Amino acid sequence: MLDRTIAPGFKPIKKVTIPQVDSSSLSNGRKVFFLNDSAVEVFKIDLVIPCGSWFAENYNLISLALKILNEGTTHRNAHQLAESIDFIGSFAEFSPGFDQSTISFYGLSRFFDKNLALLSEVISSPSFDEQQFETLKKKEVQRLKLNLEKSSYLSSVALRSSLFGLDHPYGKNNSVDKIEAVRLTEVQAFFASNFSDFDIMLSGKLPNDFIEILELNFGKNPIKRVALPEHQVTNTVGRLNEIRKPAFVQSSIKIGKVLFNRTHPDYMKFTVTNELFGGFFGSRLMKNIREEKGFTYGIHSHLYSLNQEGYFSIGTDVNGENEQATIDEIFKEIVKLQQEPVGENELETVKNYMAGSFAGSVNSPFAIMEKFKVVYFQGMDMSFYEQYLNSVYKVTSEDIMQMVNTHLQPDSFYTCIAGPEKS
């Protein structure tokens, strides 16, 4: 009989097998990446377009050009398009981003050909209806107005602007005026210049003739390649940026700095360092600021790995009276990691947590393709994930101290606060 008073034995995860992502090309040169998994009855297709904010002066051109594709084609109005997608049990997403934007269809594998025909119609013959466009702009304005009343949104935007500069694609602010100023003719021109250049990524159960179906729908039209622009980081002069509103009850604090992305040789060592510092529920920051001080429900740190840059951020929401005390405790924890070696048990706990999280993050073809997408667009391959566990387990207490002393000097940070007015 099972003795429930005895904890089950624990064995660290030593290896995770990740299926291979294969590739092909259509006759027009369009790249196709696919992960075929016959164990499921669904599939996902992504059209990944190099038209994130890195590629446009006005981010709203990207967002509006992408989202208006869901508002009808020359063959179906918005209602008919939605009905056609829903009728075959599918779901569509239109996702703008910093580096690239994505149109995704999730569908049943037995309707693969019908899904691709609809997706091809969406990307090749949008209606660009003026009335739908004006309605879409009103929705975007309303969404932005709601965000501008959220302290967490304002502090996040302020941090990126402080780190990269207001003219940088990763640091630009949006405004109601900028959205309202966009004209449909601008969106049409941007679409024509940028939306024919996309890669195709497929995962799930695919039919035997999926390449032929792709060729039929996406292999005939010529591709207008999009060049990668260059941008320079220009930090703001002030290290402290405060946004004060009487309506705010809590203070949203973001502290960060420009750092690096996955291509940097210190990335894995720093990733383990971050996990221990503020990356999970048992982190140093959570134990101090949530459990001991009771200042917040949650505090986290994260290394954002974008295609062209990377940045480190610490974020939390606290009552206004605990604002400065929270900031002081954050920097105390940094100094402590600079001066005191991490104990073996604590470091082992962090590594085991990371190993378990990683194993759980590659348990479906959709999730694996998402990981492939990340490394592919940063000029890497899946060997990054194949070496992940070994890289995590190799990190030492000395490595942690070196990472903090090298990359987390307190005077290198920018602090942005969106909170109540000071009395």
Side-chain angles (χ1 to χ4, degrees), residues 356-367:
S357 296
F358 175 71
S361 72
V362 290
N363 61 359
S364 76
F366 296 174

Side-chain angles (χ1 to χ4, degrees), residues 311-358:
Y311 71 99
F312 177 68
S313 174
I314 305 159
T316 189
D317 292 338
V318 300
N319 288 335
E321 63 268 22
N322 296 325
E323 192 179 283
Q324 189 56 51
T326 299
I327 294 171
D328 292 343
E329 291 301 322
I330 289 171
F331 285 106
K332 283 181 184 177
E333 290 296 337
I334 291 175
V335 172
K336 187 176 180 181
L337 282 172
Q338 289 175 331
Q339 298 175 349
E340 300 176 14
V342 175
E344 183 178 333
N345 289 340
E346 183 182 11
L347 185 54
E348 183 180 0
T349 298
V350 170
K351 291 178 181 180
N352 289 335
Y353 172 81
M354 292 180 69
S357 296
F358 175 71

Side-chain angles (χ1 to χ4, degrees), residues 104-169:
S104 304
F105 268 40
Y106 300 79
L108 300 172
S109 298
R110 66 180 183 271
F111 296 133
F112 183 86
D113 55 343
K114 291 183 172 62
N115 276 276
L116 265 65
L118 278 172
L119 181 54
S120 175
E121 182 180 321
V122 165
I123 194 69
S124 63
S125 56
S127 63
F128 291 118
D129 180 81
E130 185 78 48
Q131 184 176 349
Q132 291 285 1
F133 177 68
E134 292 301 321
T135 300
L136 179 61
K137 281 207 302 184
K138 289 177 182 178
K139 291 178 182 178
E140 292 294 289
V141 165
Q142 186 60 32
R143 185 175 63 85
L144 179 59
K145 285 181 176 179
L146 290 172
N147 281 333
L148 292 174
E149 297 303 316
K150 299 175 183 177
S151 58
S152 58
Y153 173 85
L154 291 173
S155 62
S156 296
V157 171
L159 179 63
R160 286 190 285 103
S161 297
S162 296
L163 298 184
F164 296 103
L166 286 169
D167 294 327
H168 192 278

Side-chain angles (χ1 to χ4, degrees), residues 378-416:
Q378 292 183 12
M380 306 169 71
D381 57 38
M382 291 297 276
S383 63
F384 174 84
Y385 297 114
E386 292 164 3
Q387 299 164 8
Y388 182 90
L389 290 180
N390 186 47
S391 300
V392 167
Y393 287 132
K394 284 199 309 185
V395 175
T396 65
S397 178
E398 290 76 17
D399 291 331
I400 301 288
M401 188 175 289
Q402 180 194 11
M403 290 298 100
V404 180
N405 278 289
T406 302
H407 299 298
L408 298 185
Q409 290 296 330
D411 61 0
S412 68
F413 283 94
Y414 288 78
T415 300
C416 296

Side-chain angles (χ1 to χ4, degrees), residues 243-251 320 323 418-423:
I243 303 165
R244 301 293 177 181
K245 290 188 177 185
F248 288 157
V249 176
Q250 286 192 313
S251 294
E323 192 179 283
E421 293 180 339
K422 292 182 177 179
S423 56

Side-chain angles (χ1 to χ4, degrees), residues 170-182:
Y170 296 159
K172 288 179 181 177
N173 287 338
N174 203 0
S175 70
V176 170
D177 290 343
K178 289 178 182 176
I179 297 174
E180 291 178 339
V182 179

